[in-house]
Amino acid sequence: MRRLIARVVMTVIVAIAVLTSGTAAQAAVPASPAVTFTNPIAQQRADPHIYKHTDGYYYFTATVPAYDKIVMRRSTSLQGLSTAPETTIWTKHASGDMAAHIWAPEIHFINGKWYVYFAAGTSSDIWKIRMYVLESSAANPLSGGWAEKGRIATPLDTFSLDATTFTVGSTRYLSWAQNDPAVGSGTNLYLARMSSPWAITGAPVMISKPTHAWETVGHRVNEGPAVIQRNGKVFMSYSASATDSNYCLGLLTASASADLLNPGSWAKTPNPVFTSNTATGQYGPGHNTFTVSPDGKSDILVYHDRNYKDISGDPLNDPNRRTRYQKLYWNADGTPNFGIPVADGLTPVRFSSYNNPDRFIRHWEFRAKTEANVTTLADSQFRVVPGLAGSGTVSLESANFPGYYLRHKNFEVWVEKNDGTAAFKSDAAFFQRAGLSDTAGVSFESYNYPGRYVRHADYLLYVQAVSTTAARGDATFYAE
């Protein structure tokens, strides 16, 4: 009888272990899986805006170099926008209002109709920039007619641009950039409630002005507001400084339950959250918007930049701002992590641990390890590129040290610069396999030491044989 009871108990323990193991594997699968793009998306398209509609299409508009029209394209995929045909939906007036400097169009769908917000100057004064609205009732805004709803009137009749709209709860807001002579030169960010898609109501409030050194290089600038909401917080990114390599993104944060028309509800992050990066060759990232992946599980950062630093003459006359994408990540404290503007080409991903879901592969002083809450995001991002050794392999290139790869030496995994030798290429090449502990994950088998896999032990990465259940778990990762 004792033996029978022991067998029953053991059977129950094994069953519980199996169920628990399966649950852990599922729990480790990231809620926001990897999503990759190939940059740039659109040459000579600045101030990009993308709207994902319920019809399954993404709608994309942006500033064109001639500043003379509004163009639009659509695709069922974000990458597809790079090759989608483009349609001119509206052209500037020959004279009078809306006759010059057609800037920063945004497309929104409100109460069953399409609206485009944009800025424009007049023929008599091309710098008399004001905000205007177009409306269309067509199902497809690329083929429908557009009615001019006129100028968005604000109490100050001054330089104003970059209107965007969003809702928090049941309230629709308009945010924009405008000059107030009483404040000084440059532009500040304003917020107001809307009474219709083309009009504000009540007194606008200034929620930010350029005060930090990084907001005032070349010009005093807060402009291009864009909003994303998550877990009861409202995050507003904005662009700062002149539109050259000093252009960058700042961030304001408010509680969704706060009075957003109280400037005190908004906190400004003291440092820029997205800046030029010499290593990746990206300069002046800014005027962003946010969208989501087709499955709705990943937030996507959309922005423009240039791939060179030095500009001859006025940056506004340089046509080569390009539209780009990359995944937006979130820190453990619930704040967005923009990372760095990644190199042209395939965007990088992160790899979380199967058995330590809060830990990611990252490099620290070039040693590869797993670590939680990696706020220096690019340390934990790698491009999965064709293997340096060929033969169906892949190599993992560092996002913030292009040309540096994960490689093993003495079976320890490091991030090192490709020296071009056959030995390095072999050490930095892996066969990408289905996850050893969960086929939804991924494992990396050494090219030159078959049977050995990248795995963590005491949070450091090694290339080792994996013969136990625990070791297979250590060698399984999820792409995020």
Side-chain angles (χ1 to χ4, degrees):
M1 179 61 72
R2 288 179 180 175
R3 288 179 181 175
L4 178 59
I5 292 173
R7 285 198 195 105
V8 171
V9 170
M10 182 58 67
T11 300
V12 171
I13 290 172
V14 170
I16 291 173
V18 169
L19 288 173
T20 303
S21 174
T23 302
Q26 283 301 112
V29 174
S32 177
V35 55
T36 56
F37 307 101
T38 301
N39 282 317
I41 299 300
Q43 300 283 359
Q44 297 194 344
R45 291 294 178 266
D47 312 324
H49 188 262
I50 291 176
Y51 183 89
K52 184 177 186 289
H53 192 40
T54 54
D55 64 0
Y57 282 93
Y58 290 92
Y59 292 86
F60 166 56
T61 186
T63 301
V64 302
Y67 303 149
D68 62 348
K69 59 188 175 183
I70 297 175
V71 298
M72 195 172 296
R73 56 180 90 174
R74 73 173 187 168
S75 173
T76 54
S77 71
L78 281 166
Q79 188 68 49
L81 288 172
S82 65
T83 55
E86 193 168 75
T87 299
T88 297
I89 65 162
W90 183 87
T91 303
K92 72 175 184 176
H93 290 190
S95 61
D97 292 342
M98 296 183 280
H101 280 161
I102 309 304
W103 285 351
E106 288 200 6
I107 182 168
H108 296 265
F109 191 77
I110 304 170
N111 299 332
K113 295 183 179 181
W114 293 101
Y115 293 90
V116 168
Y117 298 82
F118 66 101
T122 70
S123 57
S124 60
D125 182 358
I126 63 173
W127 295 105
K128 189 179 180 181
I129 307 292
R130 302 294 186 269
M131 301 176 292
Y132 298 88
V133 184
L134 305 176
E135 179 189 72
S136 177
S137 300
N140 179 359
L142 276 72
S143 58
W146 289 87
E148 296 174 358
K149 304 302 288 185
R151 178 182 150 197
I152 300 175
T154 58
L156 283 172
D157 183 16
T158 58
F159 184 93
S160 52
L161 70 168
D162 296 349
T164 192
T165 182
F166 62 96
T167 59
V168 177
S170 59
T171 303
R172 179 166 291 280
Y173 296 91
L174 187 81
S175 185
W176 70 97
Q178 188 165 11
N179 171 255
D180 182 350
V183 175
S185 63
T187 53
N188 318 302
L189 294 180
Y190 293 84
L191 185 68
R193 290 189 180 94
M194 300 191 79
S195 57
S196 74
W198 56 87
I200 64 172
T201 182
V205 295
M206 183 177 68
I207 59 174
S208 180
K209 62 182 178 181
T211 56
H212 294 294
W214 53 269
E215 298 175 295
T216 59
V217 182
H219 296 285
R220 298 175 56 82
V221 174
N222 279 183
E223 67 181 17
V227 167
I228 187 169
Q229 301 180 55
R230 183 180 172 98
N231 296 334
K233 296 287 187 181
V234 181
F235 301 98
M236 181 183 288
S237 59
Y238 64 93
S239 301
S241 288
T243 57
D244 53 20
S245 63
N246 296 294
Y247 209 48
C248 61
L249 291 183
L251 187 69
L252 302 175
T253 304
S255 169
S257 61
D259 177 7
L260 299 184
L261 294 177
N262 177 359
S265 297
W266 296 90
K268 180 181 290 189
T269 301
N271 297 308
V273 295
F274 201 54
T275 62
S276 294
N277 190 282
T278 301
T280 61
Q282 308 301 321
Y283 299 95
H287 202 114
N288 79 289
T289 189
F290 302 101
T291 189
V292 295
S293 57
D295 61 10
K297 295 181 179 180
S298 297
D299 294 306
I300 309 301
L301 174 65
V302 182
Y303 63 99
H304 75 235
D305 76 1
R306 295 182 179 88
N307 62 350
Y308 52 89
K309 181 178 181 180
D310 298 323
I311 298 171
S312 298
D314 189 334
L316 286 175
N317 296 327
D318 182 290
N320 294 318
R321 291 177 288 180
R322 309 97 43 80
T323 293
R324 309 179 86 245
Y325 305 155
Q326 58 194 73
K327 182 174 176 178
L328 181 74
Y329 291 88
W330 295 89
N331 294 317
D333 64 1
T335 56
N337 195 324
F338 292 76
I340 63 173
V342 299
D344 282 348
L346 187 68
T347 56
V349 300
R350 306 176 87 188
F351 292 99
S352 60
S353 167
Y354 162 83
N355 47 12
N356 297 114
D358 64 335
R359 289 182 168 266
F360 294 87
I361 293 178
R362 62 94 44 100
H363 60 84
W364 176 258
E365 295 182 347
F366 299 107
R367 182 67 165 96
K369 61 189 296 189
T370 61
E371 190 172 285
N373 195 25
V374 185
T375 55
T376 307
L377 178 67
D379 283 356
S380 64
Q381 290 180 292
F382 299 89
R383 293 207 302 173
V384 183
V385 299
L388 298 180
S391 305
T393 62
V394 299
S395 292
L396 303 177
E397 183 181 15
S398 168
N400 51 353
F401 289 91
Y404 285 63
Y405 296 82
L406 284 177
R407 61 85 57 99
H408 66 83
K409 58 179 184 181
N410 300 322
F411 303 117
E412 297 178 346
V413 180
W414 293 76
V415 171
E416 293 190 347
K417 187 175 183 179
N418 179 8
D419 63 9
T421 64
F424 183 97
K425 293 177 179 178
S426 296
D427 291 347
F430 303 91
F431 291 104
Q432 185 171 295
R433 310 294 193 194
L436 297 178
S437 287
D438 184 353
T439 55
V442 62
S443 295
F444 295 100
E445 183 182 11
S446 170
Y447 165 76
N448 49 0
Y449 287 91
R452 288 180 175 259
Y453 288 80
V454 174
R455 56 109 21 130
H456 65 83
D458 294 327
Y459 304 123
L460 295 176
L461 289 192
Y462 299 89
V463 168
Q464 294 179 347
V466 287
S467 57
T468 66
T469 299
R472 286 192 291 271
D474 293 343
T476 301
F477 303 91
Y478 295 103
E480 294 193 32

